[in-house]
Amino acid sequence: MIMNKDENPKVHHNFKQVNAFLYLVGLVALGTLVFVLVTAIGGEARTITVDDGGGANYTKISTAVMVAHDGDTIRVYEGSYTGEDISVSRSVNLIGNGSANTTIYLGYSSIMIRADRVNISGFEIRGSRLPVTRDLTLENSKYCTLTDIHMVNGIYIFGKSIQYWNTHNIDNTNIVNGKPVYYYKNASGMTLPSGAGQVILANCTQMRVENQNISNGGYGILIGYSSNNTISNNTCSSNNKAIYLYQSNHNTISNNKCSKNNYGIGLWKSNNNILTNNTCNSNINDGTHIMDSHSNIISNNNYESNDHHGICLYDSSNNILKNNWMVEDAIFIFGESLEYWNTHCINISNSVNGKPVYYYKNITGITVPSDAGQVILANCTHINVENQNLNTGTLGIIVGYSSNITISNNTCLFNTRYGIYLWHSDHNILRNNTILRNDVGIKFVSSHYNTIINNNCHYNHINLWNSNHNTFIRNTCTNYGGMSVSDSSDNSFISNICSDNGIGFRFSGRYENNNNTLTNNTCNSNVDTGIAIGGYNNILKNNTCSNNRYGISLGGYDNVLTNNTCNSNANEGITLYGCNNILTNNTCSNNRYGIYLEGDNNILTINTCNANNKDGISLGGCNNNTFANNTCNSNNKNGIFLRGCNNNTLASNTFNSNNKNGISLGGCNNNTLVNNTCNSNNKNGIHLLHFNNSILTNHVQKTCLEFPLKIPTTIHSRKITVPVTLTASIYPYQTIISFQITLLQRTK
């Protein structure tokens, strides 16, 4: 049979597909037309108004900025706008009613400009709720215009491309602390006029910035992508950064005075610059901070009483330091690569407190002369540093990428940062050093297999970070921070004294501290905790932690605590948060609680918890734990108290002469109590609030069983349910059962 086209189902199906396709094309075309029309109608630049007193579109500038589109103008009427956190991410015009009439009080940060072609004018910007280092930040933005903006902290430009620096229009109608902002871009061969409130150079060469007095701002002199300029004879005080260079090379910075700033002179990604004859005193951080900058010359500068360091070389290489004079300061080196340590030229013409800086790199087998003001070792082996007096600087001895160094019989006093600092250095010996009143006595970073013995660290502490297999023997750390261990494993701490600190031993960090051994340490009279440790497979043995707020605080699993003495602590003798730990033969008496436990599958055996102010042993929400052969006598409340605990085993324990109960279980199920002795307790030998526990062959004077029932009854012809508590007091040869009835609701 022959079918015509209309009768062919396949052809009919194809016609349906074509029609559907044409329908979809029509919808798309219609949608596009609507979009174009809407854009044409609503896409015109708008004017948005802001008035803090009402009567405009918005009362907050930040709100108007959030809803604005590219090309919009935001007009801000006269007034004071407080708590403003303004982040501009569109190309808008933000226009105030003149800096004398329109004031922005910042919220928590500066005004952030993160878009191109932003125009801001006519504002006064005042301080924020938090300290800020700039009032207005141009971050990765281009072609922005700033006019008539009066500021306290000034402008900061950030961008990792030259176009983020040299495309803006910033004229001298912008004011910082009553003086103009001088912004120069793509300029050459000029001397800036004096009297600047802030100086910014972007892609400039052979410019001279001289005789400026810039204070109380953010970035006093800010230079980006500029070269062969001279910055000299300026005074910059009480700024965030006095002089700051970014991606700028071959500049000369000389004869400047930078005091009481956050940082004095800073270089970031800037090479082959000369810093000479500058005075950088009393800055909060570093006098000179060199970051990711190479082959600079730092010479004949004076550094005094900077809180961190005189000179900091951070991720930098091949810098030359000579004839720098430091008082109560020092040189600090930091870097994750060897080249940041052993490529500098630092000769003995540099001095700390009138004594030479000894910087050794890539050498072996010498003894450092004993007259050092500071000792720096980089990639050295078999060096002796002994009998030094390294005092009142910022850092006494710094060792990086070195091994088999012996540091002995040195005195490091009153350094504002570190007494001794080891960075990526292994197999060294620190012995018989006196380290007093530094911020950190001894610091280890990624340093392994070192031996630290018989050092006295008073009024500072020993800090261990990411460092393994070290041994600490007979060190004394008192009156400050004790020993602080972060993310470090397989270390041994033997016979150390960590008393009268905030915390004796503190194990903390982003990662766990594992396989550490603490033996025979004394951690008494600390404000908080004797030993605070978290991690797994740690061993604490024969330690004494008494008269602290907490004796031992343990969080983790598979740890072993044996033969520790934790007496007379204000709270717990031992606090345990974790699983699969073993506590055996510990003594915890005269505390608030002897042992406090939150965790599962722990084993507590042969512990003595007597005469504590509350319970000998207290558990909350713990399951599958075993308590055997423990003695908990004469406690002010219970010998052992379990609440919300299931499937625990109490076997062969002694709970006598406690002021309340020997054993008390509340809301606990499926626990086994076997062969325990509970005599002469003031209330009950065993007190249970639920009855589905196993109680086998215990030696008990009195057992009190309490379990609730609900009994339906009728009162005044109304059916109600009455909760009933059945109490069974079990004595030898007799049982007394009583009922306590309480109505659920009142009846008239």
Side-chain angles (χ1 to χ4, degrees):
M1 178 178 178
I2 299 174
M3 302 175 65
N4 60 33
K5 182 171 68 173
D6 293 334
E7 296 172 327
N8 189 332
K10 183 174 181 181
V11 172
H12 184 68
H13 177 68
N14 289 339
F15 279 359
K16 282 186 175 182
Q17 287 183 323
V18 170
N19 290 335
F21 174 76
L22 293 174
Y23 179 74
L24 289 173
V25 169
L27 285 179
V28 170
L30 179 61
T32 303
L33 179 60
V34 170
F35 174 79
V36 170
L37 290 174
V38 170
T39 303
I41 295 171
E44 295 182 358
R46 302 172 299 169
T47 297
I48 302 170
T49 58
V50 182
D51 191 338
D52 64 334
N57 298 125
Y58 300 98
T59 59
K60 298 280 289 185
I61 300 172
S62 53
T63 306
V65 169
M66 288 177 62
V67 301
H69 298 150
D70 287 341
D72 289 349
T73 296
I74 302 169
R75 291 205 170 272
V76 183
Y77 296 145
E78 178 180 343
S80 296
Y81 298 85
T82 61
E84 293 280 5
D85 291 300
I86 300 170
S87 180
V88 183
S89 58
R90 304 288 179 89
S91 298
V92 299
N93 302 302
L94 180 59
I95 310 300
N97 196 29
S99 58
N101 304 310
T102 314
T103 303
I104 298 174
Y105 291 91
L106 297 174
Y108 293 99
S109 65
S110 67
I111 296 174
M112 301 296 298
I113 300 177
R114 296 187 171 102
D116 299 339
R117 294 182 169 84
V118 175
N119 174 24
I120 301 180
S121 67
F123 293 98
E124 180 182 12
I125 303 175
R126 307 290 295 177
S128 70
R129 295 171 181 168
L130 296 176
V132 296
T133 58
R134 59 264 195 176
D135 295 318
L136 198 150
T137 300
L138 297 164
E139 182 178 293
N140 296 325
S141 58
K142 306 185 294 291
Y143 304 107
C144 295
T145 299
L146 308 177
T147 56
D148 187 28
I149 303 173
H150 288 214
M151 296 163 279
V152 175
N153 296 292
I155 300 165
Y156 176 61
I157 299 176
F158 176 79
K160 294 184 178 181
S161 175
I162 192 172
Q163 61 192 1
Y164 298 131
W165 285 75
N166 72 332
T167 58
H168 305 297
N169 292 306
I170 305 172
D171 64 23
N172 59 13
T173 64
N174 298 286
I175 302 296
V176 175
N177 293 315
K179 296 189 289 186
V181 174
Y182 291 142
Y183 167 77
Y184 288 84
K185 62 181 181 180
N186 312 318
S188 178
M190 300 172 58
T191 298
L192 272 67
S194 59
Q198 183 180 16
V199 172
I200 304 173
L201 302 184
N203 191 36
C204 293
T205 61
Q206 298 180 354
M207 304 287 282
R208 299 188 70 85
V209 182
E210 300 175 336
N211 302 311
Q212 304 289 344
N213 191 335
I214 301 174
S215 60
N216 300 305
Y219 290 75
I221 299 172
L222 177 62
I223 299 173
Y225 293 94
S226 298
S227 61
N228 296 297
N229 300 288
T230 299
I231 299 98
S232 64
N233 296 301
N234 302 288
T235 299
C236 301
S237 61
S238 302
N239 303 285
N240 177 44
K241 290 182 172 65
I243 301 171
Y244 184 70
L245 276 65
Y246 177 73
Q247 293 279 17
S248 296
N249 307 323
H250 299 285
N251 299 285
T252 299
I253 303 171
S254 64
N255 296 299
N256 300 285
K257 295 180 180 179
C258 303
S259 62
K260 299 181 179 179
N261 305 282
N262 194 5
Y263 291 88
I265 300 172
L267 273 61
W268 185 17
K269 295 182 180 295
S270 298
N271 308 322
N272 299 107
N273 298 285
I274 297 173
L275 283 67
T276 185
N277 292 312
N278 300 286
T279 299
C280 299
N281 296 341
S282 302
N283 296 288
I284 295 172
N285 283 286
D286 302 321
T288 295
H289 187 85
I290 311 297
M291 183 173 180
D292 195 11
S293 299
H294 316 288
S295 302
N296 299 285
I297 298 174
I298 304 167
S299 66
N300 297 294
N301 300 288
N302 295 332
Y303 300 97
E304 185 172 353
S305 301
N306 297 287
D307 284 357
H308 278 195
H309 308 287
I311 303 169
C312 176
L313 303 174
Y314 192 108
D315 287 347
S316 301
S317 63
N318 294 295
N319 294 289
I320 297 172
L321 279 66
K322 59 183 180 180
N323 294 311
N324 295 290
W325 186 77
M326 289 166 276
V327 175
E328 297 180 4
D329 269 318
I331 300 166
F332 182 65
I333 300 176
F334 179 94
E336 292 282 356
S337 176
L338 176 59
E339 66 176 314
Y340 299 142
W341 286 77
N342 72 334
T343 59
H344 304 295
C345 178
I346 304 173
N347 62 33
I348 61 172
S349 66
N350 299 283
S351 66
V352 172
N353 297 324
K355 298 191 292 183
V357 174
Y358 288 116
Y359 168 77
Y360 293 98
K361 60 182 182 180
N362 312 320
I363 66 167
T364 185
I366 69 164
T367 297
V368 177
S370 60
D371 63 337
Q374 183 184 10
V375 176
I376 306 172
L377 305 180
N379 194 37
C380 294
T381 61
H382 296 96
I383 305 293
N384 293 319
V385 183
E386 57 189 22
N387 301 315
Q388 304 285 348
N389 289 302
L390 304 164
N391 305 327
T392 62
T394 55
L395 173 57
I397 300 168
I398 180 169
V399 180
Y401 295 99
S402 298
S403 62
N404 295 294
I405 308 299
T406 298
I407 302 172
S408 62
N409 297 302
N410 301 287
T411 300
C412 299
L413 308 179
F414 296 99
N415 295 288
T416 57
R417 297 296 290 163
Y418 307 103
I420 301 173
Y421 186 98
L422 272 69
W423 174 273
H424 289 269
S425 295
D426 307 333
H427 299 285
N428 303 290
I429 297 174
L430 281 70
R431 182 176 57 222
N432 297 324
N433 299 287
T434 299
I435 303 170
L436 174 66
R437 292 187 183 274
N438 307 279
D439 184 24
V440 179
I442 306 173
K443 186 175 180 68
F444 298 84
V445 178
S446 300
S447 297
H448 315 298
Y449 297 98
N450 298 288
T451 300
I452 303 93
I453 183 169
N454 288 330
N455 299 284
N456 291 318
C457 297
H458 299 292
Y459 297 98
N460 42 214
H461 67 286
I462 295 175
N463 180 267
L464 197 66
W465 186 81
N466 192 33
S467 297
N468 308 321
H469 299 284
N470 298 286
T471 301
F472 294 80
I473 304 172
R474 294 192 301 277
N475 300 284
T476 301
C477 299
T478 61
N479 298 106
Y480 188 65
M483 292 192 185
S484 176
V485 182
S486 299
D487 302 327
S488 300
S489 300
D490 298 289
N491 298 288
S492 295
F493 301 88
I494 304 167
S495 300
N496 300 284
I497 298 174
C498 295
S499 297
D500 298 297
N501 304 286
I503 295 177
F505 279 90
R506 181 202 297 263
F507 289 74
S508 61
R510 184 177 178 184
Y511 307 102
E512 293 180 328
N513 302 284
N514 309 316
N515 302 302
N516 296 290
T517 300
L518 285 75
T519 306
N520 294 313
N521 300 286
T522 300
C523 304
N524 295 337
S525 302
N526 296 287
V527 173
D528 195 88
T529 307
I531 299 174
I533 185 168
Y536 62 85
N537 290 327
N538 297 291
I539 297 174
L540 280 68
K541 183 178 180 181
N542 295 322
N543 301 287
T544 300
C545 300
S546 298
N547 295 297
N548 308 285
R549 186 179 181 189
Y550 301 91
I552 296 174
S553 180
L554 173 64
Y557 56 94
D558 293 321
N559 299 287
V560 177
L561 279 69
T562 61
N563 296 305
N564 299 287
T565 300
C566 302
N567 295 336
S568 302
N569 296 286
N571 285 294
E572 290 83 27
I574 296 176
T575 306
L576 176 59
Y577 301 95
C579 304
N580 301 304
N581 299 287
I582 297 174
L583 280 67
T584 182
N585 210 30
N586 301 285
T587 300
C588 300
S589 298
N590 295 297
N591 307 285
R592 188 165 182 250
Y593 294 91
I595 297 174
Y596 180 84
L597 173 63
E598 290 185 11
D600 303 331
N601 300 299
N602 299 287
I603 298 174
L604 282 72
T605 61
I606 325 176
N607 298 288
T608 300
C609 301
N610 294 336
N612 294 286
N613 191 43
K614 290 197 173 182
D615 304 319
I617 300 174
S618 182
L619 289 75
C622 302
N623 306 310
N624 302 302
N625 298 286
T626 299
F627 302 86
N629 295 298
N630 299 287
T631 300
C632 300
N633 296 336
S634 303
N635 296 286
N636 198 40
K637 287 196 172 181
N638 305 291
I640 185 168
F641 177 49
L642 288 74
R643 59 193 177 282
C645 301
N646 306 314
N647 301 302
N648 298 285
T649 299
L650 281 68
S652 301
N653 300 284
T654 300
F655 305 112
N656 292 336
S657 303
N658 296 286
N659 198 39
K660 291 186 72 175
N661 307 295
I663 301 172
S664 180
L665 278 69
C668 302
N669 300 298
N670 300 312
N671 298 285
T672 300
L673 284 64
V674 57
N675 204 33
N676 298 286
T677 300
C678 303
N679 293 327
S680 302
N681 296 287
N682 195 39
K683 288 193 174 181
N684 305 291
I686 300 175
H687 177 254
L688 291 88
L689 295 180
H690 287 74
F691 196 56
N692 52 341
N693 298 284
S694 298
I695 306 172
L696 306 171
T697 62
N698 296 283
H699 303 281
V700 183
Q701 282 185 326
K702 175 186 175 183
T703 300
C704 178
L705 309 178
E706 295 184 20
F707 49 97
L709 302 173
K710 288 186 178 180
I711 302 175
T713 187
T714 301
I715 297 179
H716 297 299
S717 300
R718 298 179 63 184
K719 290 185 178 181
I720 63 172
T721 299
V722 179
V724 176
T725 299
L726 174 62
T727 301
S729 297
I730 304 173
Y731 294 87
Y733 312 115
Q734 61 177 327
T735 301
I736 300 173
I737 299 177
S738 64
F739 294 89
Q740 298 173 353
I741 301 176
T742 304
L743 295 181
L744 285 177
Q745 64 183 75
R746 295 181 179 179
T747 57
K748 295 182 179 179

